Amino acid sequence: MNQYKGLLNAILCTCLCVAASGLELPSAPGIARAYVADSTLGAEGYRIVSGAEGLRVEAAGERGMLYGLGAAARMRTMGRVPADTVTERPAYALRVLNHWDNLDGTVERGYAGPSIWDWQGTDPGAEERWRRYGRICASTGINGAVLNNVNASSQVLSGAMLRRVAHIADVLRDYGVRVYLSANFAAPMQLGGLPTADPEEPAVAAWWAARCDTVYSLIPDFGGLLVKANSEGQPGPCDYGRSHACGANMLARAIAPHGGVVMWRAFVYSPGDADRAKQAYLEFEPLDGQFDDNVIVQIKNGPIDFQPREPHSPLFGAMPRTRQMVEFQITQEYLGHSNHVAYLAPMWSEFFEAVAPESLCAVAGVANTGACDNLTGHPLAMANWYAFGRLAWNPRLSPAEILDEWLRCELLTRGDVPAAVTDSVRDMMLGSREAVVDYMMPLGLHHIFAFGHHYGPEPWCEVEGAREDWLPRYYHRADTAGLGFERGPAGSDATSQYGEPWRSMYASADSCPEELLLWFHHVPWDRPMRSGRTLWDELCLRYQRGCDATDAMLDAWRPARPYVEPDVYADVEARLDIQRRDARWWRDACLQYFGRYSRRPLPEGVEPPAHTLEQLMRIHLPISNFEAPTGEMLMKLRE
Ligand code: BDP
């Protein structure tokens, strides 16, 4: 049973009524409902009419009613009942979570326990967990789930696994969530016993068509396939000299008769070639116009890999004849796992400020779920799941507004919560992502993480035989002259992949926003910054600012104590303490390491490090990819 009683109280009431189709609708007492023949609402839209008798929700179908009742209940809780009428339709028809769950129960980059899907069918509590998951998705507007890892096992398409998937689909259907799968491009060989997976080979296309028939015979509303091809060792069409478009279209044609889509990832980079930040563009931009209509190219928000701050990927907007979707990462692979608070809506909004939401046709988020009690590890990480869904519904919502909803409808639900308490927690969470940027990678630094697990700092990292573009020095390029990756015309010229106004703005260090300075430029240590300080002093003070912010976070959380369940309070407090210590670890490791190159002292206002660089360089976290390190483990290592 859910020990986190404070979560999931109001938005989707626990007491639900089941519609004729099986869809669970929020009971929302006192809110009238009316099905109307209004095609402008679409299948998922709704209208909320406020009148003398209270609220009435109008929708053309049950899914619209589901979202409309949820929205009306939320408005009531928030005290934001409209003066007359509000009409809403989602910005995207496809709002999908990507689960990186493996069939052995582990979760790649998951920090909230094992897979919720219970692939082997041994957990009697699994179905109830899927229902909780479905309700949360419904409350935020998420309508699709890719159940398995993009590093996909072919076995997920085997008969036994498809029956399991059909069971999950039967449950999630009650919440308006359709099921999708990640496909391994070599499945015709690994599962079908064919000698090749060449997309031009008729037997291969026939195998996929037959598999799709089987999938749809078991799951009639199956959504489609997600494919990671020719990326980080995964098989793909390029193994046979074919293009990504050729491979994607072959699958798209196999699934088209059933109405499914193929989401084809553009996360590609190979060793030894151009600047990694340029590679997806170099490979995909020339394919514009070649993809079938039911293919959507899925592009990570930034050109590298889910860093705490990245510019948008230049592929957005560069393929006008191709359907594109963005992939965000909700799980905190690069933001302190489930130990750190990092409310991510500001990062996603930043993306939507640069990339017009209308230029995309769908949104995906790599899920932060697992089978632990509260489903997300850090109790406040649920806010990221919620915010992802809300932004996928309406990318123009403000991060503060979304957070307010989550706090008032989900977290702070015990008693009459004074506004000052909600404000305190909201401000703390709103600033948390920027705090992480400050204490991990300020001013456009990126990928200076420890190898493999990506938890702590390792700007010095050396791994014998590792690809150069997997090592931090490839990204920070520290030397005695300065710091940062020169991507302007004098360097890798990645800036020329951007359209205007970005191209000119990023090309010169003078016009580049300071937040991204070291992403795009190698800058001398004594370059004057906007503050009037040198780069070195500014860098040091940003790290310090991040540390100070983590102290303030603990203070901001304390007033919440009477208004959340005691276990939630204590859990958050313990994790904030880890975050405080980790922030200092980052600051001391990075500043002492970069100080070897800058050869400058720490400016006034920066706390002296508690450990020497040599001590910090000896830390090696004995953790796998699949769980966050514990506080005790971290303390011990840094003693
Ligand atoms: C990286 C992760 C890796 C994923 C890969 C991907 O480190 O585990 O498989 O992205 O998105 O961020 O395919």
Side-chain angles (χ1 to χ4, degrees):
M1 211 30 220
N2 178 16
Q3 60 162 312
Y4 287 84
K5 299 186 201 76
L7 302 181
L8 246 193
N9 272 345
I11 291 184
L12 265 193
C13 325
T14 36
C15 161
L16 299 136
C17 52
V18 180
S21 63
L23 199 73
E24 270 193 15
L25 297 176
S27 66
I31 298 178
R33 58 189 78 183
Y35 288 98
V36 292
D38 180 349
S39 59
T40 63
L41 293 175
E44 297 186 313
Y46 57 82
R47 181 173 300 120
I48 298 177
V49 184
S50 182
E53 310 85 63
L55 295 180
R56 184 176 74 246
V57 177
E58 298 178 354
E62 280 177 357
R63 282 193 295 141
M65 190 56 78
L66 169 75
Y67 297 128
L69 287 171
R74 186 167 56 220
M75 283 170 180
R76 253 195 344 203
T77 308
M78 301 294 295
R80 293 210 190 116
V81 174
D84 41 35
T85 300
V86 171
T87 305
E88 287 254 347
R89 279 187 70 155
Y92 305 108
L94 179 50
R95 308 175 297 277
V96 70
L97 287 177
N98 288 184
H99 292 270
W100 286 358
D101 292 23
N102 298 310
L103 302 186
D104 64 3
T106 57
V107 180
E108 180 149 348
R109 310 305 179 182
Y111 314 105
S115 169
I116 55 175
W117 306 126
D118 181 36
W119 297 99
Q120 304 312 320
T122 50
D123 178 358
E127 192 172 314
E128 184 42 39
R129 195 174 297 116
W130 303 341
R131 293 196 177 278
R132 277 176 62 206
Y133 168 91
R135 286 181 197 119
I136 297 169
C137 286
S139 77
T140 172
I142 290 164
N143 68 357
V146 184
L147 302 186
N148 63 313
N149 192 356
V150 287
N151 297 315
S153 162
S154 295
Q155 285 305 317
V156 80
L157 295 173
S158 68
M161 278 300 159
L162 285 178
R163 280 188 291 281
R164 185 79 187 146
V165 172
H167 181 189
I168 300 169
D170 286 344
V171 173
L172 297 189
R173 190 174 295 116
D174 293 349
Y175 307 92
V177 179
R178 273 184 174 199
V179 156
Y180 300 70
L181 290 175
S182 294
N184 184 306
F185 201 77
M189 299 164 76
Q190 294 172 7
L191 199 62
L194 297 187
T196 177
D198 182 351
E200 294 276 355
E201 173 60 46
V204 169
W207 186 87
W208 280 109
R211 257 311 82 179
C212 288
D213 292 346
T214 307
V215 169
Y216 279 88
S217 69
L218 293 163
I219 312 159
D221 58 351
F222 182 72
L225 299 171
L226 171 63
V227 186
K228 171 176 179 177
N230 295 114
S231 160
E232 298 185 330
Q234 292 300 315
C238 309
D239 301 343
Y240 308 94
R242 319 289 182 202
S243 72
H244 282 278
C246 171
N249 292 344
M250 183 272 296
L251 288 180
R253 287 164 200 168
I255 209 167
H258 307 282
V261 297
V262 170
M263 294 169 282
W264 191 270
R265 296 177 90 226
F267 177 64
V268 293
Y269 61 102
S270 18
D273 291 336
D275 172 4
R276 174 169 168 187
K278 292 176 71 175
Q279 294 191 27
Y281 182 101
L282 290 174
E283 214 163 320
F284 276 79
E285 188 273 339
L287 301 176
D288 186 28
Q290 294 181 30
F291 291 94
D292 281 6
D293 286 348
N294 62 331
V295 176
I296 313 177
V297 175
Q298 179 168 315
I299 307 163
K300 289 189 181 183
N301 58 291
I304 302 261
D305 192 9
F306 299 139
Q307 298 302 291
R309 170 166 277 122
E310 295 198 28
H312 64 284
S313 162
L315 258 183
F316 292 107
M319 302 177 72
R321 289 172 300 148
T322 303
R323 297 175 78 210
Q324 295 187 330
M325 63 193 285
V326 60
E327 176 179 325
F328 295 129
Q329 194 178 45
I330 310 170
T331 189
Q332 291 171 227
E333 172 180 358
Y334 294 106
L335 289 111
H337 297 187
S338 52
N339 282 345
H340 295 198
V341 184
Y343 174 60
L344 297 176
M347 169 153 90
W348 303 329
S349 288
E350 207 168 279
F351 169 84
F352 285 121
E353 273 160 30
V355 174
E358 304 71 36
S359 66
L360 307 174
C361 67
V363 178
V366 180
N368 61 352
T369 51
C372 68
D373 283 331
N374 68 4
L375 300 181
T376 56
H378 200 305
L380 303 184
M382 173 82 75
N384 286 331
W385 178 0
Y386 180 76
F388 166 78
R390 295 290 286 137
L391 283 173
W393 180 279
N394 178 359
R396 295 210 157 82
L397 288 175
S398 85
E401 188 182 335
I402 297 171
L403 187 53
D404 248 338
E405 289 174 7
W406 186 77
L407 289 174
R408 294 179 54 190
C409 299
E410 301 286 349
L411 185 76
L412 300 171
T413 52
R414 263 179 128 215
D416 217 357
V417 186
V421 173
T422 316
D423 290 352
S424 173
V425 178
R426 188 196 46 230
D427 292 349
M428 176 269 271
M429 288 180 72
L430 259 184
S432 57
R433 180 269 188 147
E434 205 58 46
V436 177
V437 170
D438 278 344
Y439 64 69
M440 283 187 185
M441 274 161 267
L443 300 173
L445 282 174
H446 50 292
H447 227 316
I448 55 177
F449 292 95
F451 195 78
H453 55 71
H454 300 158
Y455 186 80
E458 258 180 39
W460 52 81
C461 174
E462 281 288 354
V463 176
E464 218 182 288
R467 286 167 53 159
E468 197 54 22
D469 57 359
W470 281 349
L471 297 177
R473 62 161 182 258
Y474 175 90
Y475 301 97
H476 64 64
R477 312 229 159 179
D479 56 24
T480 52
L483 183 65
F485 195 132
E486 185 53 54
R487 294 194 163 110
S492 77
D493 200 24
T495 54
S496 73
Q497 291 182 335
Y498 285 89
E500 293 294 1
W502 315 108
R503 178 200 297 241
S504 311
M505 190 197 295
Y506 292 153
S508 141
D510 294 332
S511 51
C512 184
E514 277 186 359
E515 275 50 52
L516 292 169
L517 187 61
L518 305 177
W519 181 285
F520 285 115
H521 296 284
H522 189 75
V523 172
W525 291 112
D526 51 10
R527 179 189 168 84
M529 303 290 284
R530 266 200 326 256
S531 59
R533 292 188 275 266
T534 62
L535 167 69
W536 168 249
D537 285 358
E538 183 70 26
L539 184 76
C540 295
L541 287 160
R542 293 280 177 128
Y543 273 106
Q544 182 63 44
R545 186 170 83 179
C547 292
D548 296 345
T550 58
D551 295 339
M553 283 175 167
L554 261 170
D555 294 338
W557 178 241
R558 286 200 182 99
R561 184 174 216 139
Y563 306 103
V564 293
E565 294 297 324
D567 53 355
V568 174
Y569 180 81
D571 191 352
V572 171
E573 189 173 60
R575 289 179 208 250
L576 282 170
D577 191 52
I578 297 179
Q579 186 165 4
R580 253 190 85 247
R581 292 166 196 272
D582 283 353
R584 281 153 178 84
W585 177 24
W586 272 94
R587 179 197 63 199
D588 295 350
C590 295
L591 290 183
Q592 292 187 88
Y593 173 76
F594 291 134
R596 286 188 167 178
Y597 296 94
S598 79
R599 299 172 180 158
R600 284 156 172 82
L602 295 178
E604 205 178 310
V606 178
E607 283 165 32
H611 300 92
T612 65
L613 182 58
E614 289 65 30
Q615 285 171 321
L616 296 174
M617 285 173 73
R618 279 199 294 273
I619 298 175
H620 291 289
L621 284 181
I623 56 169
S624 71
N625 282 342
F626 312 121
E627 59 202 23
T630 62
E632 295 88 84
M633 182 196 287
L634 291 165
M635 292 263 274
K636 230 189 167 132
L637 284 167
R638 293 190 298 239
E639 250 159 31

PDB file of all heavy atoms in Angstrom, residues 197-209:
ATOM      1  N   ALA A 197      19.056  -8.459 -40.893  1.00  0.00           N
ATOM      2  CA  ALA A 197      17.984  -7.529 -40.507  1.00  0.00           C
ATOM      3  C   ALA A 197      17.959  -6.370 -41.503  1.00  0.00           C
ATOM      4  O   ALA A 197      17.424  -5.301 -41.220  1.00  0.00           O
ATOM      5  CB  ALA A 197      18.208  -7.017 -39.093  1.00  0.00           C
ATOM      6  N   ASP A 198      18.563  -6.566 -42.669  1.00  0.00           N
ATOM      7  CA  ASP A 198      18.638  -5.542 -43.718  1.00  0.00           C
ATOM      8  C   ASP A 198      17.229  -5.077 -44.100  1.00  0.00           C
ATOM      9  O   ASP A 198      16.407  -5.874 -44.555  1.00  0.00           O
ATOM     10  CB  ASP A 198      19.349  -6.152 -44.937  1.00  0.00           C
ATOM     11  CG  ASP A 198      19.517  -5.128 -46.065  1.00  0.00           C
ATOM     12  OD1 ASP A 198      18.951  -4.023 -45.973  1.00  0.00           O
ATOM     13  OD2 ASP A 198      20.221  -5.469 -47.029  1.00  0.00           O
ATOM     14  N   PRO A 199      16.955  -3.778 -43.932  1.00  0.00           N
ATOM     15  CA  PRO A 199      15.589  -3.309 -44.207  1.00  0.00           C
ATOM     16  C   PRO A 199      15.173  -3.439 -45.669  1.00  0.00           C
ATOM     17  O   PRO A 199      13.970  -3.389 -45.970  1.00  0.00           O
ATOM     18  CB  PRO A 199      15.633  -1.834 -43.774  1.00  0.00           C
ATOM     19  CG  PRO A 199      17.073  -1.450 -43.758  1.00  0.00           C
ATOM     20  CD  PRO A 199      17.837  -2.696 -43.445  1.00  0.00           C
ATOM     21  N   GLU A 200      16.127  -3.622 -46.568  1.00  0.00           N
ATOM     22  CA  GLU A 200      15.781  -3.767 -47.993  1.00  0.00           C
ATOM     23  C   GLU A 200      15.467  -5.218 -48.343  1.00  0.00           C
ATOM     24  O   GLU A 200      15.099  -5.533 -49.474  1.00  0.00           O
ATOM     25  CB  GLU A 200      16.943  -3.274 -48.879  1.00  0.00           C
ATOM     26  CG  GLU A 200      17.222  -1.783 -48.767  1.00  0.00           C
ATOM     27  CD  GLU A 200      16.314  -0.941 -49.665  1.00  0.00           C
ATOM     28  OE1 GLU A 200      15.529  -1.527 -50.435  1.00  0.00           O
ATOM     29  OE2 GLU A 200      16.393   0.299 -49.571  1.00  0.00           O
ATOM     30  N   GLU A 201      15.643  -6.107 -47.392  1.00  0.00           N
ATOM     31  CA  GLU A 201      15.437  -7.535 -47.659  1.00  0.00           C
ATOM     32  C   GLU A 201      13.941  -7.860 -47.442  1.00  0.00           C
ATOM     33  O   GLU A 201      13.416  -7.679 -46.337  1.00  0.00           O
ATOM     34  CB  GLU A 201      16.331  -8.311 -46.691  1.00  0.00           C
ATOM     35  CG  GLU A 201      16.171  -9.804 -46.664  1.00  0.00           C
ATOM     36  CD  GLU A 201      16.455 -10.479 -47.994  1.00  0.00           C
ATOM     37  OE1 GLU A 201      17.467 -10.144 -48.628  1.00  0.00           O
ATOM     38  OE2 GLU A 201      15.633 -11.328 -48.411  1.00  0.00           O
ATOM     39  N   PRO A 202      13.238  -8.333 -48.477  1.00  0.00           N
ATOM     40  CA  PRO A 202      11.796  -8.565 -48.345  1.00  0.00           C
ATOM     41  C   PRO A 202      11.427  -9.471 -47.167  1.00  0.00           C
ATOM     42  O   PRO A 202      10.418  -9.240 -46.486  1.00  0.00           O
ATOM     43  CB  PRO A 202      11.404  -9.206 -49.678  1.00  0.00           C
ATOM     44  CG  PRO A 202      12.459  -8.744 -50.641  1.00  0.00           C
ATOM     45  CD  PRO A 202      13.726  -8.572 -49.845  1.00  0.00           C
ATOM     46  N   ALA A 203      12.257 -10.477 -46.883  1.00  0.00           N
ATOM     47  CA  ALA A 203      11.914 -11.389 -45.781  1.00  0.00           C
ATOM     48  C   ALA A 203      11.925 -10.648 -44.442  1.00  0.00           C
ATOM     49  O   ALA A 203      11.170 -10.985 -43.519  1.00  0.00           O
ATOM     50  CB  ALA A 203      12.911 -12.553 -45.748  1.00  0.00           C
ATOM     51  N   VAL A 204      12.790  -9.627 -44.336  1.00  0.00           N
ATOM     52  CA  VAL A 204      12.870  -8.850 -43.098  1.00  0.00           C
ATOM     53  C   VAL A 204      11.601  -8.004 -42.934  1.00  0.00           C
ATOM     54  O   VAL A 204      10.963  -8.000 -41.875  1.00  0.00           O
ATOM     55  CB  VAL A 204      14.143  -7.963 -43.101  1.00  0.00           C
ATOM     56  CG1 VAL A 204      14.122  -6.953 -41.954  1.00  0.00           C
ATOM     57  CG2 VAL A 204      15.387  -8.844 -43.020  1.00  0.00           C
ATOM     58  N   ALA A 205      11.220  -7.332 -44.023  1.00  0.00           N
ATOM     59  CA  ALA A 205       9.996  -6.515 -43.975  1.00  0.00           C
ATOM     60  C   ALA A 205       8.790  -7.403 -43.676  1.00  0.00           C
ATOM     61  O   ALA A 205       7.905  -7.017 -42.886  1.00  0.00           O
ATOM     62  CB  ALA A 205       9.818  -5.772 -45.294  1.00  0.00           C
ATOM     63  N   ALA A 206       8.771  -8.594 -44.258  1.00  0.00           N
ATOM     64  CA  ALA A 206       7.637  -9.507 -44.040  1.00  0.00           C
ATOM     65  C   ALA A 206       7.604  -9.955 -42.577  1.00  0.00           C
ATOM     66  O   ALA A 206       6.532 -10.082 -41.965  1.00  0.00           O
ATOM     67  CB  ALA A 206       7.754 -10.722 -44.964  1.00  0.00           C
ATOM     68  N   TRP A 207       8.788 -10.183 -41.998  1.00  0.00           N
ATOM     69  CA  TRP A 207       8.842 -10.596 -40.588  1.00  0.00           C
ATOM     70  C   TRP A 207       8.239  -9.507 -39.694  1.00  0.00           C
ATOM     71  O   TRP A 207       7.419  -9.789 -38.818  1.00  0.00           O
ATOM     72  CB  TRP A 207      10.295 -10.881 -40.165  1.00  0.00           C
ATOM     73  CG  TRP A 207      10.369 -11.447 -38.784  1.00  0.00           C
ATOM     74  CD1 TRP A 207      10.282 -12.755 -38.422  1.00  0.00           C
ATOM     75  CD2 TRP A 207      10.496 -10.703 -37.545  1.00  0.00           C
ATOM     76  NE1 TRP A 207      10.345 -12.888 -37.049  1.00  0.00           N
ATOM     77  CE2 TRP A 207      10.476 -11.638 -36.489  1.00  0.00           C
ATOM     78  CE3 TRP A 207      10.620  -9.352 -37.246  1.00  0.00           C
ATOM     79  CZ2 TRP A 207      10.592 -11.249 -35.147  1.00  0.00           C
ATOM     80  CZ3 TRP A 207      10.725  -8.967 -35.915  1.00  0.00           C
ATOM     81  CH2 TRP A 207      10.705  -9.915 -34.876  1.00  0.00           C
ATOM     82  N   TRP A 208       8.641  -8.259 -39.942  1.00  0.00           N
ATOM     83  CA  TRP A 208       8.114  -7.160 -39.119  1.00  0.00           C
ATOM     84  C   TRP A 208       6.602  -7.015 -39.308  1.00  0.00           C
ATOM     85  O   TRP A 208       5.867  -6.784 -38.349  1.00  0.00           O
ATOM     86  CB  TRP A 208       8.808  -5.834 -39.468  1.00  0.00           C
ATOM     87  CG  TRP A 208      10.156  -5.701 -38.832  1.00  0.00           C
ATOM     88  CD1 TRP A 208      11.371  -5.747 -39.450  1.00  0.00           C
ATOM     89  CD2 TRP A 208      10.440  -5.497 -37.434  1.00  0.00           C
ATOM     90  NE1 TRP A 208      12.393  -5.582 -38.547  1.00  0.00           N
ATOM     91  CE2 TRP A 208      11.846  -5.416 -37.295  1.00  0.00           C
ATOM     92  CE3 TRP A 208       9.648  -5.373 -36.294  1.00  0.00           C
ATOM     93  CZ2 TRP A 208      12.478  -5.219 -36.064  1.00  0.00           C
ATOM     94  CZ3 TRP A 208      10.278  -5.170 -35.062  1.00  0.00           C
ATOM     95  CH2 TRP A 208      11.679  -5.097 -34.958  1.00  0.00           C
ATOM     96  N   ALA A 209       6.140  -7.165 -40.546  1.00  0.00           N
ATOM     97  CA  ALA A 209       4.696  -7.029 -40.800  1.00  0.00           C
ATOM     98  C   ALA A 209       3.928  -8.103 -40.021  1.00  0.00           C
ATOM     99  O   ALA A 209       2.900  -7.822 -39.390  1.00  0.00           O
ATOM    100  CB  ALA A 209       4.410  -7.122 -42.291  1.00  0.00           C
TER     101      ALA A 209
END
